[in-house]
Amino acid sequence: MSTTSVIVIIVVAVVVVVVLVAGALLLQRKQREHQHAEAEGIRDRAAEQEFELGQREARAEEIAAKSRAAQAEAEAKSAQAEQLSQRADVHRSDAADTRADLDKEWERADEVDPDTKSGP
């Protein structure tokens, strides 16, 4: 083999190596760009889901606040009902005492009235 042939083979080998390295670098760059675009898409979808999640969390908090308000109202109504029940019990007791006193008055009136006396 002549020196020229050896130089041509070396130059061709170097060119092939340079082309292969350049191709590998280009392929690696394309893969990185693709991965970057894919990551950006994932971030966009995550941002949309974040927004929707925020809306759901706000709705859940709103419903929980309504629930707490309804519970407080129910407790207030229950306390009011208990107070009314106690007042009703007092009035019933007073009315029963008055009924007993009135019944005694009727009996006394019957005892005093000569026409209602039933004797032995």
Side-chain angles (χ1 to χ4, degrees):
M1 245 204 266
S2 69
T3 307
T4 306
S5 298
V6 171
I7 291 176
V8 168
I9 292 174
I10 291 174
V11 169
V12 168
V14 168
V15 169
V16 168
V17 168
V18 168
V19 168
L20 288 176
V21 168
L25 291 175
L26 182 64
L27 181 62
Q28 185 180 18
R29 192 179 95 200
K30 291 280 187 187
Q31 286 177 335
R32 287 179 57 98
E33 288 174 1
H34 174 72
Q35 289 172 337
H36 178 69
E38 183 179 358
E40 195 62 33
I42 292 169
R43 286 185 186 97
D44 288 345
R45 287 190 301 276
E48 289 174 13
Q49 290 175 350
E50 183 78 28
F51 177 75
E52 291 171 4
L53 176 61
Q55 287 181 323
R56 279 191 244 147
E57 288 172 336
R59 181 71 177 138
E61 186 54 39
E62 177 185 344
I63 291 170
K66 286 181 181 180
S67 172
R68 288 188 298 271
Q71 183 66 33
E73 184 178 341
E75 289 171 2
K77 291 286 184 180
S78 178
Q80 183 182 16
E82 182 61 31
Q83 287 176 338
L84 290 172
S85 178
Q86 289 173 358
R87 285 177 55 196
D89 289 345
V90 168
H91 285 288
R92 274 192 210 99
S93 177
D94 289 348
D97 292 344
T98 302
R99 172 61 65 193
D101 291 344
L102 185 58
D103 287 344
K104 287 179 186 176
E105 287 296 310
W106 282 111
E107 289 174 15
R108 194 171 141 242
D110 286 345
E111 289 173 6
V112 171
D113 188 354
D115 291 335
T116 59
K117 285 189 183 182
S118 56

